[in-house]
Amino acid sequence: MDLIFVTFNSEKWIDPCFKSLLELDFPFEDLSVIVIDNHSSDKTVMKLESYKESFSVCKNYRILEENINHGFGKANNIAAQHGNSEIIVFVNIDIEFYQDTLLILNQEIDKSGDDVGIWEMRQFPYEHPKKYDVVTMDTSWASGAAFAIRRHIYEQVGGFDEIFFMYAEDVDLSWRVRGSGYRIKYVPKAAIIHYAYADVYAIKPLQYYNSIINDLYLRYRYGNVRQMIIGNCRVIKHILQKPLCVGARRNLIEKYIKHFKNMKLCKLQKQFSKKVAKFIRFNYEYHRIGAFYFHEKLADEPKISVVIINKSKKDISMLLQCLANQTYSHIKWYYSGTLLGFKSRDMVSMDLDTLIANLNTPYFSLVDENFLYYADHFETLINYMEHNRKSWGVTSYCNESVMQEKLSGAVFCTDKVKRIKQDISLAEIYNKKYENEIAQKILCINVETRKVWRH
């Protein structure tokens, strides 16, 4: 595995990133660390040199010093040429690894078929808000902050397109990979801490200028005439409006004028399909409601009992698969009704007449075939419960107002629900016997963890 970083005046990020890297639960003899520096003016290179001895256990540790700032895409292309591993992992320098990040990533790569070309890691504290398929975990493009790619596919599509100095180069690479017939898979259990934003509303000048202009390049390459016109209108609108940051108008005008020289470089080669592209206003995928929130992992994760209900004997294989993708680790799985082909989870059969008191966990949830869930469903709801101890339960935002829909997948505090009566059963909750009492004390949050309403 080749781990590639691009640095530019990144002195302050190197210690937290590399110290977390050295603490990884991963065989270092199988890992190459390649850092390319885009002509930093601070002590970045000196700091990188100080880690040579620490990384002597790795297969390779190389620092490439450039005399010019190549930008993100071109620098990564240069660095990739100095590795030879079948898997290339591109990671920003302003990140920290969890101890199991690369181990989980490598396990996912090993069990993936040859049709998977890219694996995207999850970012904390702000997860990327784009939607993904909760069953297959397929996503339409991978964020360049942290992803792995098969080397032969990376070389087959030509690597990053160097027309993109910074931003949107990851979208373009992803679309060319998918346009060649490969899948991109999201791996939320392999997570990194990314210091991308000071807060949700932070504006980064470089991202602001480059994202607007690079969106035009994507539209010239993958879009139709209407989409190209919309992109140009957007640039003109931003030029005319009140600047969001110092120098915004001047920089945007300069980049817009220069971009006309590059238009001829945006032609898509015939071997790539344009059908993979999405232009959803000025995004490249639909966004999950409330997914871009500040997330922190709980220091002590309480257990939750999750009861899967299938009274109707329907095929719930998709539900079971999306539940297998859950990122929360302390789940005790039960099922009531018919459950076929999913015995590897060591689930326990449970009758709905079972008393809630017998669950023996701080939280519980009832799920049925009516919904599919995002991978962070229970992780998110339990996190909210731990910070809102007065609530009896928490459910995610959904447009449907029927209580059954709100209760399916909701997380309940076991002790608080028992206050209705000591011998309350799962069936009474599932059949909405105490709907009014619970509805008044359940917290509904504006976080879309569900993908599909299946009624």
Side-chain angles (χ1 to χ4, degrees):
M1 185 178 284
D2 291 335
L3 193 60
I4 294 179
F5 299 92
V6 177
T7 57
F8 178 71
N9 294 335
S10 307
E11 178 186 355
K12 69 176 181 178
W13 302 116
I14 294 170
D15 278 341
C17 178
F18 280 14
K19 285 179 181 178
S20 70
L21 179 56
L22 289 167
E23 294 175 359
L24 284 175
D25 183 11
F26 193 81
F28 281 90
E29 62 272 14
D30 297 333
L31 187 67
S32 291
V33 179
I34 304 170
V35 188
I36 181 167
D37 182 71
N38 271 334
H39 199 51
S40 293
S41 58
D42 63 359
K43 296 179 181 179
T44 293
V45 175
M46 187 183 301
K47 180 71 73 172
L48 293 171
E49 293 281 356
S50 70
Y51 277 91
K52 275 189 173 180
E53 186 176 347
S54 299
F55 285 105
S56 61
V57 293
C58 290
K59 184 170 67 173
N60 185 23
Y61 179 71
R62 175 171 290 191
I63 304 168
L64 305 173
E65 295 182 57
E66 301 298 303
N67 58 10
I68 190 173
N69 185 353
H70 296 296
F72 185 75
K74 184 174 181 178
N76 273 317
N77 286 343
I78 295 171
Q81 294 173 7
H82 291 266
N84 56 17
S85 299
E86 170 53 27
I87 299 297
I88 309 173
V89 182
F90 294 103
V91 192
N92 284 11
I93 193 65
D94 58 339
I95 66 106
E96 288 184 45
F97 296 91
Y98 289 101
Q99 190 173 1
D100 59 359
T101 300
L102 290 189
L103 186 64
I104 293 173
L105 176 66
N106 195 56
Q107 289 170 348
E108 187 62 43
I109 291 171
D110 285 344
K111 70 181 184 181
S112 294
D114 293 339
D115 60 330
V116 181
I118 292 179
W119 298 264
E120 180 186 7
M121 288 173 268
R122 184 183 183 189
Q123 300 177 47
F124 284 142
Y126 297 110
E127 181 176 21
H128 201 286
K130 66 179 182 294
K131 289 190 174 184
Y132 57 88
D133 190 301
V134 298
V135 178
T136 65
M137 302 304 290
D138 283 4
T139 184
S140 56
W141 64 275
S143 168
F147 75 94
I149 185 171
R150 296 189 195 274
R151 177 176 289 276
H152 75 273
I153 295 176
Y154 170 81
E155 293 173 349
Q156 175 186 330
V157 302
F160 289 101
D161 191 326
E162 296 170 9
I163 192 176
F164 301 93
F165 184 79
M166 282 184 71
Y167 298 104
E169 69 286 302
D170 47 7
V171 179
D172 175 66
L173 177 66
S174 297
W175 284 354
R176 282 184 283 119
V177 167
R178 287 182 51 239
S180 299
Y182 298 101
R183 295 165 52 204
I184 299 174
K185 198 167 185 180
Y186 185 43
V187 190
K189 293 180 183 179
I192 52 110
I193 302 170
H194 186 200
Y195 299 101
Y197 298 90
D199 58 67
V200 175
Y201 304 103
I203 296 173
K204 298 189 288 187
L206 279 174
Q207 185 181 35
Y208 175 71
Y209 317 138
N210 288 303
S211 294
I212 294 172
I213 297 301
N214 290 345
D215 173 71
L216 280 179
Y217 294 143
L218 291 175
R219 289 170 185 267
Y220 295 151
R221 176 167 289 174
Y222 300 96
N224 55 37
V225 174
R226 180 176 177 273
Q227 290 162 342
M228 295 176 195
I229 293 172
I230 290 173
N232 278 274
C233 290
R234 179 197 188 195
V235 177
I236 295 169
K237 176 185 174 183
H238 279 276
I239 289 173
L240 295 177
Q241 72 179 15
K242 181 180 179 181
L244 294 180
C245 50
V246 177
R249 181 178 288 121
R250 183 187 70 253
N251 279 280
L252 199 51
I253 292 173
E254 289 178 359
K255 290 180 180 294
Y256 188 50
I257 292 172
K258 288 180 180 178
H259 108 278
F260 288 105
K261 298 178 181 178
N262 295 326
M263 288 175 62
K264 61 183 179 181
L265 302 176
C266 295
K267 186 177 180 181
L268 187 66
Q269 296 177 26
K270 290 183 179 180
Q271 69 265 32
F272 301 120
S273 171
K274 295 177 67 170
K275 295 180 180 179
V276 298
K278 288 185 181 180
F279 294 100
I280 304 161
R281 298 194 66 189
F282 299 109
N283 297 314
Y284 311 117
E285 180 53 89
Y286 289 103
H287 276 203
R288 292 171 55 197
I289 298 170
F292 194 72
Y293 64 94
F294 184 86
H295 179 92
E296 56 182 351
K297 286 198 171 185
L298 296 172
D300 184 23
E301 292 187 344
K303 287 186 177 180
I304 178 173
S305 297
V306 178
V307 184
I308 303 166
I309 301 169
N310 187 25
K311 283 187 170 183
S312 59
K313 298 184 179 181
K314 289 182 180 179
D315 178 6
I316 58 169
S317 56
M318 289 197 298
L319 170 63
L320 296 174
Q321 185 55 57
C322 78
L323 293 176
N325 294 329
Q326 289 296 307
T327 57
Y328 197 74
S329 55
H330 291 158
I331 300 178
K332 293 180 68 175
W333 296 97
Y334 300 92
Y335 69 92
S336 178
T338 305
L339 191 69
L340 301 174
F342 210 68
K343 297 180 180 178
S344 60
R345 270 203 170 276
D346 296 324
M347 293 184 180
V348 178
S349 177
M350 178 178 287
D351 194 283
L352 280 181
D353 290 329
T354 301
L355 301 183
I356 288 174
N358 294 339
L359 293 177
N360 220 9
T361 56
Y363 298 112
F364 73 92
S365 181
L366 307 174
V367 299
D368 57 34
E369 70 274 10
N370 297 316
F371 290 103
L372 299 177
Y373 302 90
Y374 280 104
D376 63 335
H377 179 83
F378 292 113
E379 175 191 304
T380 302
L381 298 192
I382 292 175
N383 202 303
Y384 271 89
M385 282 295 290
E386 287 291 291
H387 290 89
N388 295 274
R389 296 296 183 95
K390 293 182 179 180
S391 299
W392 283 36
V394 62
T395 185
S396 59
Y397 170 86
C398 87
N399 291 324
E400 294 77 32
S401 59
V402 181
M403 194 59 197
Q404 179 62 54
E405 295 160 16
K406 290 185 178 180
L407 291 185
S408 182
V411 168
F412 298 100
C413 177
T414 306
D415 287 340
K416 287 186 171 63
V417 172
K418 284 194 311 186
R419 292 180 187 175
I420 298 174
K421 63 174 187 174
Q422 282 296 313
D423 57 346
I424 189 171
S425 70
L426 292 169
E428 289 175 316
I429 297 295
Y430 184 69
N431 294 321
K432 302 183 291 182
K433 184 174 180 180
Y434 297 97
E435 177 178 347
N436 293 332
E437 292 92 329
I438 293 174
Q440 294 171 2
K441 298 177 180 179
I442 192 169
L443 179 67
C444 190
I445 60 173
N446 191 30
V447 174
E448 181 190 23
T449 57
R450 295 171 181 154
K451 178 181 183 292
V452 179
W453 180 46
R454 300 187 69 197
H455 279 298

